[in-house]
Amino acid sequence: MRAYELKRGHGKNLEGGKLREIVAEAFGSATADGDKIVVSYGAIGKLVTWTDGKNLFVDMTMKPGVPDDVATETIARNNRFLEAATGMNAKERNKKLQAKAKEGKL
């Protein structure tokens, strides 16, 4: 499981059914299991995501041995999902992660 910090003020954009809409937009259909959203797509066997308003939690299981084109499309869709859900692009998420590592909070 991985936790992604949300951009300041972005948590309200995930309230209600909005997180499910973001997941469905990125990966196709998504199902709700309580407050968690579950989806399967391409090289992702199962992705479970939820939020506490400050962080986005993602628990992902990958399928080994998928074709390269499927893996590439899955990575692109996952990055689009993370950007829409956290409010930060990959560079900004990496910067936050490195700052946490320097502080010893990982």
Side-chain angles (χ1 to χ4, degrees):
M1 195 232 2
R2 184 133 185 227
Y4 296 91
E5 193 174 323
L6 298 178
K7 190 173 191 173
R8 189 174 202 180
H10 194 73
K12 64 184 172 207
N13 296 337
L14 303 177
E15 293 174 351
K18 294 179 185 173
L19 179 59
R20 183 176 181 193
E21 290 173 15
I22 291 170
V23 172
E25 188 177 311
F27 299 111
S29 64
T31 58
D33 182 14
D35 63 341
K36 297 180 179 180
I37 309 301
V38 182
V39 69
S40 178
Y41 177 86
I44 299 172
K46 184 178 182 182
L47 181 140
V48 181
T49 187
W50 66 99
T51 184
D52 65 359
K54 292 184 179 182
N55 294 295
L56 176 74
F57 301 97
V58 179
D59 191 9
M60 189 178 341
T61 306
M62 301 298 288
K63 295 178 190 172
V66 296
D68 288 344
D69 60 328
V70 173
T72 302
E73 179 64 20
T74 303
I75 291 167
R77 286 181 181 252
N78 187 50
N79 282 333
R80 275 186 257 146
F81 156 67
L82 290 173
E83 185 169 346
T86 63
M88 294 183 279
N89 62 30
K91 189 175 182 178
E92 292 167 325
R93 291 192 308 270
N94 188 31
K95 197 173 186 179
K96 290 268 188 187
L97 186 63
Q98 286 180 359
K100 276 188 175 184
K102 283 182 182 179
E103 294 173 6
K105 292 184 180 181
L106 285 181

